[in-house]
Each structure stands twice: as C-alpha cells, then as structure tokens.
C-alpha cells in the first residue's frame, strides 16, 4: 500500500490563520483547490511557489502523528473510530500565541513559549495511534537520517518511526521548505509584518485532523476533523 495517513493540528477553516496559511502555501488541503499566493514586497509569485513547495505538499498543519502507512490488519475505519473516540475525551485549550521562527533553514509559526498541554497532546497521539503505523521502509529511515540526527533522535526514530517526538517535539506550522540564508532573510522580513496580527491572541486548540495521501506523489488532503469533546464531524 502506498497511501498514508497523518494526525495533524489544523486551524479552524473559518479562522484568519487558516486563510493566511492556505493562501501563503497556495493550496487548500480541505478542498484540494489551488490558491493564488499573496503579493508581498520583494517576493514574487514564482519565488513563493518554489519556497513553499514542500509544505504545500503536506498541507497547512502542525504534526501530532507523522505520516504513516497502515499496519497489517488495521483499516482506515478503525483509525477513524479510534481518533473520534480519542478526540471525544480531550478538552479544548488555549495554547500560547504564535511567533515567526527560523527552524534551521526554514520558516515556521511556532508557539511563543513551551506548552505542556500541547506536548501532552502530541505525545498521546504518538503513543495511542502507533498500533496503526506500519514499520517504515529502509528508504524512509534513510531520508529521516539525512537531516542529521542526534543519538536520542535516532532512538526515537527506531521506536516511533519519527525522530521529532516526545522531548524532541516542537509544535510548528511550516511556511517554507529549506532556503538559502539570503532567501531566509528576505522571506522572514516580508512575512513578519503579515503574520503579526496572527501572533497576538492565544492559539485555540479544539480539534485534531486526519490527513490522507493517496500515494507518495499526491498531496495530503484533510479528510476529517474531530472536535474535542464531541467526536468527529
């Protein structure tokens, strides 16, 4: 099987954050519709399209359970039921406001300070849905290792199929792929004023989303949102 699922945080589809993120990346993962990139000083549309190619493929999101193929003997219906039950037992909470951050050589919106509730949500998703995850291929493992992992991240990769979990987790909504230092500088400068209004209020966390990828070349789509305290809609 080449299809994959992922459990993500995604802002409410009616929110300013969602409208910004999907417009900036150039695709709405809920509808699958391509969107026009915004016009920003010093950044033309072709540059933005190239800079956002990688996060556009995955859809605007923050990872809670990284993409995985279904384990043998598990089915999508089981995953949907389990995620709905999980969400029904969660309580909405406000996370700290966002901020624009350089994470190595890419830009993302991160939480302005650590949040135990967000870390706990990510850990619960990692643990509780691992039974649905098929072991990654050697090629997938080598792709992760190419980023340069610490000894601890290598342990996490071996155990959970993803190196940025547990204490290595950092909530982030990716805005670009890897950029050169000069392109990072000008993109950060152009975005800082644009995202400022999105970085004032606490971030509402009241649902988790199931994203799906038909095959490894097809972009991820948001196929179901599960509201906390009431299962999926």
């Amino acid at each position: 099987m080449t299809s994959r699922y992922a459990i993500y945080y995604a802002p409410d589809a009616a929110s300013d954050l969602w409208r910004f993120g999907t417009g900036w990346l150039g695709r709405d993962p809920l509808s699958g519709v391509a969107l026009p990139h915004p016009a920003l000083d010093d950044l033309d549309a072709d540059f933005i399209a190239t800079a956002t190619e990688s996060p556009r493929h995955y859809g605007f999101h923050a990872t809670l359970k990284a993409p995985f193929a279904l384990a043998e003997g598990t089915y999508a219906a089981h995953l949907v039921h389990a995620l709905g039950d999980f969400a029904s037992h969660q309580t909405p909470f406000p996370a700290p406001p966002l901020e624009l951050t350089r994470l190595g050589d890419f830009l993302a919106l991160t939480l302005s300070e650590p949040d135990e509730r967000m870390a706990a949500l990510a850990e619960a998703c990692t643990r509780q849905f691992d039974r649905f995850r098929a072991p990654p291929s050697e090629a997938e493992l080598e792709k992760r290792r190419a980023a340069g992992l610490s000894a601890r991240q290598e342990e996490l990769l071996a155990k959970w199929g993803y190196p940025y979990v547990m204490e290595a987790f950092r909530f982030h909504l990716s805005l670009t792929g890897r950029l050169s230092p000069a392109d990072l500088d000008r993109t950060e400068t152009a975005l800082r004023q644009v995202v400022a209004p999105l970085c004032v209020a606490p971030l509402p966390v009241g649902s988790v989303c199931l994203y799906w990828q038909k095959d490894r070349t097809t972009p991820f789509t948001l196929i179901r949102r599960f509201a906390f305290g009431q299962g999926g809609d």
Side-chain angles (χ1 to χ4, degrees):
M1 292 182 64
T2 59
S3 64
R4 293 191 297 175
Y5 294 85
I7 300 171
Y8 289 157
Y9 166 83
D12 186 276
S15 69
D16 290 341
L17 179 58
W18 178 261
R19 284 190 287 270
F20 160 74
T22 55
W24 167 253
L25 296 185
R27 184 175 68 88
D28 183 342
L30 183 59
S31 65
V33 172
L35 302 173
H37 297 290
L40 298 180
D41 292 342
D42 200 36
L43 301 180
D44 62 36
D46 288 343
F47 172 81
I48 296 173
T50 300
T52 58
E53 181 179 2
S54 176
R56 180 167 58 252
H57 180 78
Y58 290 91
F60 192 52
H61 78 279
T63 300
L64 298 173
K65 179 72 173 173
F68 57 93
L70 287 175
E72 185 176 353
T74 64
Y75 300 92
H78 299 161
L79 175 60
V80 168
H81 176 80
L83 191 53
D85 182 66
F86 171 82
S88 72
H89 291 88
Q90 305 303 308
T91 301
F93 63 91
L98 297 169
E99 63 180 7
L100 183 63
T101 304
R102 290 191 185 197
L103 296 178
D105 52 7
F106 71 97
L107 292 170
L109 291 170
T110 67
L111 299 183
S112 53
E113 59 184 81
D115 186 77
E116 292 182 358
R117 293 164 298 184
M118 187 68 81
L121 176 62
E123 179 173 345
C125 288
T126 296
R127 292 184 182 279
Q128 295 194 32
F129 297 97
D130 207 53
R131 68 185 187 273
F132 292 100
R133 177 180 63 86
S137 67
E138 191 58 35
E140 290 171 317
L141 292 173
E142 288 306 314
K143 183 178 180 181
R144 295 294 185 194
R145 291 173 177 135
L149 303 180
S150 67
R152 176 55 178 158
Q153 288 170 338
E154 180 66 34
E155 291 176 1
L156 294 169
L157 176 64
K159 183 171 178 60
W160 302 107
Y162 191 60
Y164 309 113
V165 296
M166 307 309 173
E167 74 275 13
F169 167 76
R170 184 168 185 181
F171 177 93
H172 64 280
L173 296 147
S174 295
L175 298 180
T176 73
R178 295 179 175 180
L179 299 176
S180 69
D183 285 341
L184 268 175
D185 286 342
R186 66 192 186 103
T187 305
E188 182 178 13
T189 298
L191 277 176
R192 190 159 296 283
Q193 187 172 1
V194 175
V195 303
L198 306 172
C199 299
V200 178
L203 179 70
V205 182
S207 64
V208 292
C209 294
L210 186 63
Y211 279 53
W212 174 70
Q213 180 189 39
K214 180 180 180 180
D215 55 56
R216 301 306 170 92
T217 62
T218 303
F220 279 83
T221 57
L222 195 171
I223 59 172
R224 190 137 180 204
R225 183 184 294 271
F226 298 87
F228 288 174
Q230 52 190 281
D233 57 13

